[in-house]
Amino acid sequence: MATKILVAVKQVTALDEDFEIRADGRDVDADFFLRDLNEWDDFSLEEAVKIKEAGGEVEVVVVTVGPEEADESLRKCLAKGADRAIRIWDEAMEGSDSQAIARVLAAAVQQQNPDLVFAGVQSSDHSFASTGIALAGLLNWPHAAVVNQFEFSPGATQAVIRRELEGGVLQMMSIDLPAVLSIQLGINTPRYASLRTIKQAAAKPIEQVGLSDLGLSATDVGEAGSASRVRRMYIPEKGRAEMIEGSLAEQAAKLAAIIKEFKGASA
Amino acid sequence: MIDPQSITRTLFEDFHPIAVTVFYAIGYGAIGIFCWGTWIQIRKYRYGSAYAAVGTFISRFKQMTAALLTHRTLVRRDHAAGGAHGLIFFGFALLFIGTSTITVEYDVLKPLTGMRFWYGDFYLWFSLVLDVAGLMLGGGLAFMMWRRGWLKPPKLSYVRPDRTPTDPDYDRSGYQREDWAFLWSLVIIAVTGFILEAVRLVWLQGRPEVWDYRWWSPVGAAFAIGMRAIGLSAEAAGMIRSGLWWFHGLIALAFIALIPFTKIKHIFTASASLMLRDPLAAQRLPRVPDAQESAGFSYITDLNWKQLLHLDACTKCGRCHEACPANATGAPLSPRDVILSLREFANKTLASGTLPDQAELDIHGKSPGQVSMETLWSCRTCMACVEICPVAVEHIPIIVQMRRKLVEAGDMDPLLTKTLQTIAKTGNSFGESKRKRGSWTKALATPIKDARKEAVDYLWFVGDYASFDPRNQKVSQTFAGLLQEAKVDFGLLYDSEQNAGNDVRRVGEEGLYDLLATANIEAMKNAQFNTIVTTDPHSFNTIRNEYGDFGGHFEIQHYTTLLRELLVSGRLTVTKPLGYRVTFHDPCHLGRFNKGYDAPREILKLIGCELIDMKRCRDNSFCCGAGGGRIWIPDPVGVEKPAQNRIREAAVIEGLEVYVVSCPKDLTMFEDAVKTTGNEGQFVVRELIELVREAVASPVALEAPVEELADG
Ligand code: SF4
Ligand code: SF4
């Protein structure tokens, strides 16, 4: 039986120069979004495609939760070698946090029944770094986060992985399948998708999946299904920094003066 | 009175009929081998993909004939070798035509109609002309041998920059043997021809119709007199004649038979190549048909038949090798070797009636005959090779087509990958926001019109560097000031302008080029203007030569022609002739690509500069190294960069004050190179626009004085 790898990807937004916050103060004005495939997902997709190219029967399915604009990122994935692409969306999913997204993905995983799920360690825009692990929790599957090396031969029931821990320590472990892994940058070198291949990928279909197709209701997603809610988004006041120069004695004197100034004491 | 009919040469005199038959048999055999070999070559070309030649057959034929008769392409930058080739070419051609007339009379006219013309005055003139032709041939050959054997110009060394001494195809010594064999065989044919002429005179000295007219073949006569002086008798001469006759005849026939199999075939392939010359080969790259599965060349059979023929036309003259800036600075690329590798590859894989497995047709790699990606990425698409090749080999389309394949496979420098992704995302190579494209205009006292909103006379296409690079932004501001003072009605596309795509295309990212070109064309079509003017030669080239293929037909000028116009018409007045001693660097895309050599020079004259051209100028200008996307790929450390090589060339000009450029990328490359070569303080690099600014009085005070900019 073919090995199926599901790669969960996200279309992230980078902010254009001099952006503005939306009128309701809860997000950046969409006019200033520059959309692209999340950088981490580039690596997790590459890892899946590499397994496929190494031989054996492997199917790589990319799945994303997002509105129509996200098709562009899916096409990029198809151009890079994914076999199928699924986009899940419903208006009600607007405002979902990583918990709610994980719930949607879990439903999709149950339908697709893959052997492996790859997610990026985090997304470059919201940086929750929790979707993959939340997904594993919902599925109750073995999981590993921040994977930076992966060894697996299609059809095997186990994979050997290496994880990055704090302080430069690495951990080697084996993990039973099916499993959820969150993939770290640098695990491979993602390939370049030429614009021509992306254009050609436009001919491949993108499967559209809605809320009810997954057996979910509006209360499972969006703000209702989220554990957190954005109250306000704002640009913090710029801090101040100053380089103190001069001889050691001069530097000490200057520092003392600054401290006194902040304390409000007279010099 | 001697009967003119008897003043001739009796063919096969004293030959046994069987000998004549044998000779004819060998002759037909030689022609048969020639035809067979020719067919093998043609069959090889037929494996190439389709190609429709540009222009009518007549016009192409005329162009080829003109090139051959004037030897224009051969004498350029190498008068001696070109001249010697001319002697060989015309000598050989006359001898060939002469010999053919004998055949026409002896084997066609006489047997069919009984007519003869090869006697009397015609014969005598014929003898004289052929003797002179033989001398020309010999003289040319002697020079070439001297050149190869003693002068040994570096361009004739076949040692390759893209291989190491342990590689089997490192120095291609086989080619050298072939070169010498070719020269010697011609020498032997020519010398034995003369000796044959002489021994015949000695042999037939008793016949007045022969001996009395001996000086009509002066070389033969001189030899004959020498032979008689050393006591050669008529009988002995007759004997030598029959032996030598066969020797001379057999070598000549072998020469003919070997044409299709050796370098001699350049007689035909080079002529055909010249006939198929595409004058815009480098300027306008081929589109990838939408239906084509993958872009670019992966296999030898992806080359079109014309390109396969070009491979065979190369005479290894080394001119492209010598002109190539990549090769000159130690990069693993020689355009000659790319051509020769592919030729060897084609000869190996396409020689038989059936094609080998596709895997064996792959031209990418490091095996003999293959071209490595390091080689392909070293090219700066500067066109120096295409421009100088005497036989119209077009290297750039082949290199770019091969790069297209590399791009599709993602085989490129990570920084280049990043840049391409950035351009795809933001429309510029700086990764700046689209909105900021026009930000540089904010420093101007008078705003520039938005050509998307109101009609203008000139649409100024600014390009990435002049829009985003801080140093070049100053130049853009200066140019805007000049246009405003000259009351030129102009506008910008602002954030609708994107990278023009010239270099993206030359990198081989055709899909991205398509996207950029289409977007720009659309923006241009939505604006109202008469002419485009651009400060960027790269944009100039692609808009002028390539946008047409994507539906964008616009009139476009490089800023140098517009400034010249403004200065000549008096709309800008020179108030302070500069008197600087300057040199001018011809940007590849303005000069070689689009022949814009004169406008910048005339401007320099108008503003009172003394121009001292570098040795490599105009069509021989030396690339700054930024072309073909190389500006986005880091150069290896520790080796000389092309821009440094160029600055060192300029530095020898005595009293040089300003190194003038007219391309934003040049400004960046050369300002850097002046510093890294330790020439800072000796002379400065300046945009021509800045010099014009300095020479033309400004009614409006500029924000920053130009002086300051040049030092900054
Ligand atoms: S285009 Fe320039 S860099 Fe490229 S091979 Fe030709 S001469 Fe060399
Ligand atoms: S490609 Fe042209 S210029 Fe280069 S070596 Fe061959 S004939 Fe000479």
Side-chain angles (χ1 to χ4, degrees):
Chain A
M1 209 189 74
T3 303
K4 193 183 213 177
I5 306 175
L6 192 104
V7 184
V9 303
K10 180 181 180 187
Q11 184 172 53
V12 292
T13 49
L15 297 183
D16 203 347
E17 219 103 2
D18 307 325
F19 59 87
E20 286 160 23
I21 301 282
R22 211 164 61 188
D24 70 1
R26 293 177 57 195
D27 205 344
V28 173
D29 190 333
D31 267 7
F32 297 90
F33 284 173
L34 296 173
R35 298 188 163 83
D36 204 354
L37 180 64
N38 178 32
E39 198 182 352
W40 276 265
D41 301 344
D42 235 349
F43 288 83
S44 52
L45 174 70
E46 178 69 29
E47 201 56 24
V49 173
K50 266 173 60 187
I51 295 168
K52 181 179 126 185
E53 285 175 349
E57 241 183 282
V58 179
E59 188 187 23
V60 177
V61 183
V62 282
V63 56
T64 192
V65 181
E68 210 179 326
E69 292 99 76
D71 278 353
E72 197 189 311
S73 288
L74 291 179
R75 272 197 289 276
K76 207 168 179 181
C77 296
L78 288 169
K80 289 178 178 224
D83 299 295
R84 283 168 49 210
I86 303 171
R87 183 170 63 80
I88 308 168
W89 189 240
D90 190 289
E91 288 286 309
M93 292 179 191
E94 188 74 56
S96 297
D97 71 354
S98 53
Q99 299 272 329
I101 299 283
R103 192 167 298 124
V104 174
L105 288 174
V109 168
Q110 263 145 7
Q111 278 191 354
Q112 293 294 327
N113 202 18
D115 304 276
L116 276 164
V117 176
F118 286 173
V121 165
Q122 64 183 64
S123 60
S124 58
D125 50 0
H126 286 136
S127 306
F128 282 127
S130 57
T131 312
I133 300 312
L135 170 62
L138 289 168
L139 293 168
N140 200 18
W141 280 12
H143 64 268
V146 204
V147 173
N148 71 0
Q149 191 179 310
F150 182 75
E151 280 164 36
F152 168 72
S153 36
T157 55
Q158 271 197 342
V160 177
I161 57 176
R162 198 178 70 189
R163 299 180 54 224
E164 218 178 86
L165 305 182
E166 285 301 309
V169 178
L170 295 175
Q171 180 187 45
M172 298 285 292
M173 56 191 272
S174 52
I175 191 165
D176 289 335
L177 267 45
V180 179
L181 306 178
S182 76
I183 306 287
Q184 176 63 316
L185 301 179
I187 187 171
N188 51 40
T189 316
R191 69 197 61 200
Y192 176 73
S194 79
L195 270 281
R196 256 187 119 247
T197 48
I198 295 176
K199 207 166 145 194
Q200 284 166 341
K204 293 196 199 171
I206 290 174
E207 299 159 42
Q208 316 270 351
V209 174
L211 202 54
S212 54
D213 302 320
L214 294 172
L216 295 172
S217 70
T219 51
D220 294 322
V221 297
E223 282 187 8
S226 295
S228 62
R229 188 171 72 90
V230 180
R231 291 178 53 191
R232 185 163 82 94
M233 199 176 273
Y234 62 99
I235 302 162
E237 298 261 326
K238 283 230 171 64
R240 266 172 54 194
E242 189 184 348
M243 182 69 82
I244 301 174
E245 285 173 14
S247 70
L248 278 182
E250 284 164 1
Q251 288 182 21
K254 187 86 201 286
L255 187 60
I258 295 172
I259 292 171
K260 278 187 191 140
E261 188 194 320
F262 272 85
K263 265 172 61 188
S266 60
Chain B
M1 178 71 209
I2 295 170
D3 175 12
Q5 292 264 355
S6 70
I7 305 174
T8 183
R9 195 161 84 209
T10 314
L11 291 182
F12 303 113
E13 190 163 7
D14 271 5
F15 269 53
H16 192 280
I18 291 181
V20 176
T21 314
V22 168
F23 180 75
Y24 268 84
I26 296 173
Y28 284 127
I31 292 171
I33 295 173
F34 170 84
C35 291
W36 176 65
T38 306
W39 160 240
I40 288 181
Q41 305 305 327
I42 291 174
R43 187 174 64 190
K44 178 172 75 186
Y45 307 142
R46 284 161 53 108
Y47 282 125
S49 63
Y51 171 77
V54 282
T56 62
F57 182 85
I58 300 286
S59 69
R60 281 183 278 125
F61 186 79
K62 274 196 197 149
Q63 152 203 321
M64 182 263 292
T65 316
L68 289 185
L69 292 182
T70 58
H71 255 52
R72 183 175 50 80
T73 62
L74 278 145
V75 292
R76 284 185 55 211
R77 264 180 249 161
D78 197 342
H79 296 286
H85 186 277
L87 288 177
I88 299 174
F89 173 82
F90 289 108
F92 188 88
L94 283 173
L95 289 166
F96 179 77
I97 295 168
T99 316
S100 304
T101 53
I102 308 178
T103 312
V104 167
E105 189 203 82
Y106 189 81
D107 294 319
V108 184
L109 271 186
K110 206 167 80 174
L112 292 179
T113 65
M115 247 171 66
R116 285 183 61 213
F117 58 82
W118 200 51
Y119 60 83
D121 284 351
F122 180 86
Y123 171 75
L124 292 174
W125 280 105
F126 171 94
S127 302
L128 182 64
V129 169
L130 259 61
D131 251 40
V132 173
L135 272 183
M136 285 162 64
L137 177 66
L141 290 170
F143 175 82
M144 292 303 204
M145 287 178 135
W146 180 60
R147 176 167 177 261
R148 268 186 199 280
W150 280 269
L151 286 183
K152 291 200 173 80
K155 65 181 169 187
L156 289 187
S157 156
Y158 301 141
V159 172
R160 301 174 57 171
D162 58 335
R163 292 287 196 270
T164 54
T166 47
D167 286 317
D169 49 352
Y170 172 60
D171 66 355
R172 294 178 159 140
S173 43
Y175 281 138
Q176 249 150 18
R177 287 192 284 278
E178 189 191 14
D179 294 334
W180 282 107
F182 174 62
L183 285 172
W184 275 114
S185 60
L186 279 174
V187 166
I188 291 170
I189 292 174
V191 169
T192 50
F194 278 133
I195 298 179
L196 209 51
E197 205 172 33
V199 288
R200 175 175 173 269
L201 286 174
V202 178
W203 172 41
L204 303 177
Q205 55 185 290
R207 294 189 198 161
E209 71 271 23
V210 173
W211 188 249
D212 292 0
Y213 295 92
R214 63 188 179 282
W215 289 110
W216 285 93
S217 41
V219 182
F223 276 163
I225 287 169
M227 287 171 182
R228 290 217 309 178
I230 57 166
L232 187 74
S233 67
E235 298 73 48
M239 294 204 7
I240 293 175
R241 178 254 180 188
S242 28
L244 200 62
W245 191 98
W246 280 101
F247 183 71
H248 176 81
L250 290 181
I251 288 199
L253 289 177
F255 188 88
I256 290 171
L258 286 175
I259 290 176
F261 305 97
T262 55
K263 74 179 272 185
I264 317 171
K265 69 162 163 280
H266 83 274
I267 298 172
F268 297 104
T269 51
S271 312
S273 181
L274 281 166
M275 228 175 117
L276 289 163
R277 178 171 176 270
D278 173 2
L280 291 177
Q283 295 91 324
R284 190 197 49 217
L285 294 172
R287 282 194 76 162
V288 179
D290 283 336
Q292 194 174 307
E293 177 81 31
S294 63
F297 290 173
S298 305
Y299 307 107
I300 188 75
T301 45
D302 290 336
L303 274 73
N304 62 40
W305 61 262
K306 162 182 137 135
Q307 286 165 328
L308 290 176
L309 182 95
H310 278 321
L311 303 181
D312 271 350
C314 170
T315 55
K316 315 190 285 302
C317 74
R319 291 173 201 229
C320 60
H321 179 81
E322 189 178 45
C324 175
N327 180 45
T329 51
L333 162 68
S334 153
R336 174 198 68 194
D337 292 330
V338 170
I339 296 302
L340 292 179
S341 285
L342 292 173
R343 170 205 285 190
E344 288 153 19
F345 195 95
N347 283 341
K348 196 178 79 200
T349 53
L350 307 179
S352 79
T354 49
L355 275 182
D357 287 348
Q358 199 167 50
E360 281 173 50
L361 298 174
D362 191 345
I363 45 181
H364 291 270
K366 286 191 164 29
S367 303
Q370 291 183 319
V371 183
S372 74
M373 63 183 249
E374 290 78 11
T375 298
L376 293 169
W377 286 124
S378 296
C379 176
R380 289 147 205 272
T381 65
C382 72
M383 204 188 145
C385 49
V386 175
E387 201 270 343
I388 193 59
C389 179
V391 297
V393 172
E394 293 154 5
H395 318 66
I396 292 185
I398 297 180
I399 290 176
V400 173
Q401 288 274 27
M402 290 188 74
R403 279 182 175 186
R404 285 178 177 169
K405 162 73 192 352
L406 294 179
V407 168
E408 211 160 81
D411 291 328
M412 55 184 149
D413 190 281
L415 276 177
L416 178 59
T417 313
K418 268 251 152 339
T419 309
L420 293 176
Q421 282 163 341
T422 301
I423 298 176
K425 202 151 68 175
T426 62
N428 67 75
S429 58
F430 286 74
E432 295 278 4
S433 160
K434 280 185 185 155
R435 289 165 212 263
K436 287 180 75 182
R437 197 162 193 109
S439 294
W440 62 269
T441 59
K442 289 187 189 139
L444 296 169
T446 324
I448 301 180
K449 283 184 183 176
D450 187 336
R452 296 168 301 180
K453 301 200 182 112
E454 52 186 319
V456 291
D457 189 10
Y458 283 93
L459 172 69
W460 176 7
F461 191 93
V462 189
D464 280 5
Y465 262 75
S467 298
F468 294 111
D469 173 60
R471 172 69 177 94
N472 278 295
Q473 283 177 341
K474 308 262 188 219
V475 179
S476 300
Q477 286 154 359
T478 308
F479 185 61
L482 284 170
L483 292 188
Q484 286 169 342
E485 281 165 45
K487 307 238 162 3
V488 175
D489 177 27
F490 71 103
L492 308 177
L493 287 174
Y494 286 95
D495 29 329
S496 296
E497 180 188 303
Q498 301 202 35
N499 182 303
N502 186 73
D503 299 7
V504 167
R505 189 169 220 204
R506 277 150 188 80
V507 157
E509 191 10 323
E510 184 67 5
L512 181 54
Y513 175 74
D514 194 334
L515 203 76
L516 295 168
T518 314
N520 280 323
I521 290 169
E522 165 127 347
M524 289 168 183
K525 283 188 173 161
N526 287 333
Q528 266 189 55
F529 61 89
N530 294 320
T531 311
I532 301 175
V533 62
T534 180
T535 32
D536 175 29
H538 295 240
S539 303
F540 177 58
N541 179 65
T542 194
I543 297 172
R544 181 175 192 226
N545 297 311
E546 295 181 315
Y547 275 21
D549 283 352
F550 293 78
H553 301 273
F554 307 105
E555 199 180 297
I556 183 163
Q557 272 187 302
H558 182 251
Y559 83 79
T560 43
T561 48
L562 178 59
L563 272 190
R564 176 180 60 185
E565 218 174 285
L566 297 177
L567 285 166
V568 170
S569 66
R571 286 167 75 184
L572 288 176
T573 336
V574 176
T575 50
K576 180 187 153 210
L578 301 178
Y580 294 146
R581 198 175 171 94
V582 305
T583 192
F584 177 70
H585 169 80
D586 291 277
C588 305
H589 285 83
L590 176 62
R592 260 194 300 275
F593 276 70
N594 291 294
K595 308 272 173 287
Y597 304 121
D598 296 329
R601 287 183 169 76
E602 282 163 33
I603 293 175
L604 283 171
K605 208 162 144 197
L606 287 167
I607 58 174
C609 287
E610 181 201 0
L611 172 68
I612 314 281
D613 263 321
M614 288 173 276
K615 189 156 163 274
R616 295 177 294 187
C617 66
R618 303 177 78 97
D619 50 56
N620 192 19
S621 179
F622 191 75
C623 176
C624 74
R630 282 297 314 206
I631 195 151
W632 304 317
I633 306 175
D635 278 318
V637 284
V639 289
E640 185 184 50
K641 298 179 185 10
Q644 296 172 326
N645 179 299
R646 183 61 157 172
I647 285 296
R648 293 199 175 100
E649 179 180 8
V652 301
I653 298 177
E654 216 168 304
L656 179 69
E657 293 172 281
V658 190
Y659 182 96
V660 185
V661 297
S662 60
C663 164
K665 289 192 178 88
D666 278 337
L667 194 58
T668 306
M669 298 299 276
F670 289 124
E671 284 199 334
D672 184 54
V674 165
K675 290 188 193 119
T676 54
T677 52
N679 279 298
E680 220 170 353
Q682 303 297 313
F683 56 91
V684 293
V685 179
R686 291 253 209 102
E687 238 297 340
L688 183 56
I689 290 169
E690 295 174 327
L691 291 187
V692 173
R693 172 72 283 170
E694 204 183 321
V696 172
S698 162
V700 201
L702 267 173
E703 300 236 331
V706 180
E707 283 295 346
E708 220 170 81
L709 297 176
D711 303 334

